[in-house]
Amino acid sequence: TMSCSHPDLGRWKRELGSSHCGVCLPCTIRRAAIKKAGIDDNSIYRDKDFLDLEAKLNLKSYQLGLAHPCNPILAIQKNGPITDRQSDYAELYQRGRIELKEFLDTII
C-alpha cells in the first residue's frame, strides 16, 4: 500500500517510479505501526533515518507535538463531534501517540 503524502517527490531527484518518503506523518505512522506489529518492513523509503534537512524538521515537529500532554477526548473532537464510544477512541488515540513516540525514540 502507499501511505506517503508525497510519493512522487523523487522525480526531482530523477528517481523512476513512486516510493514512500519515509518522513512525512503518514509514512512515520506507517513505519511505527509496522514496527509495533513486529512485521518486517520491506518498503522502500527515500529517507529512513531523517537525514535530509526537511526530514529533520519533520522529526523535530513530531517530537515537539508528542512532548506536550494533551486531553485525548478533546483531541479526537477536532475533526468533528464524536458522541459514541468516546473513551474507546480516546484510548486508541493515546496508544497511537505512545506507539509513535516509541518509534521516534529509535530514530534518535
Side-chain angles (χ1 to χ4, degrees):
T1 62
M2 178 61 68
S3 54
C4 185
S5 63
H6 40 263
D8 293 322
L9 282 180
R11 289 182 297 161
W12 297 105
K13 296 179 181 180
R14 303 200 187 281
E15 294 175 9
L16 299 175
S18 299
S19 66
H20 298 278
C21 73
V23 298
C24 68
L25 189 56
C27 277
T28 306
I29 290 171
R30 169 197 175 94
R31 293 174 61 196
I34 290 171
K35 183 174 181 74
K36 181 71 172 183
I39 299 170
D40 288 333
D41 190 356
N42 298 319
S43 304
I44 297 170
Y45 297 105
R46 222 173 271 115
D47 184 354
K48 275 184 90 164
D49 300 314
F50 291 81
L51 300 175
D52 180 80
L53 177 60
E54 184 176 341
K56 288 178 183 180
L57 291 173
N58 285 356
L59 178 60
K60 291 295 181 192
S61 72
Y62 305 152
Q63 292 168 329
L64 182 62
L66 291 169
H68 289 87
C70 72
N71 181 326
I73 293 290
L74 295 177
I76 64 171
Q77 302 292 338
K78 288 183 179 180
N79 291 319
I82 295 176
T83 56
D84 297 333
R85 300 177 58 200
Q86 283 184 351
S87 61
D88 291 337
Y89 291 120
E91 288 173 20
L92 175 66
Y93 180 83
Q94 278 298 93
R95 287 194 312 269
R97 284 176 54 94
I98 291 166
E99 185 175 294
L100 186 58
K101 183 179 182 329
E102 288 174 352
F103 172 73
L104 293 176
D105 287 347
T106 68
I107 301 294
I108 316 169

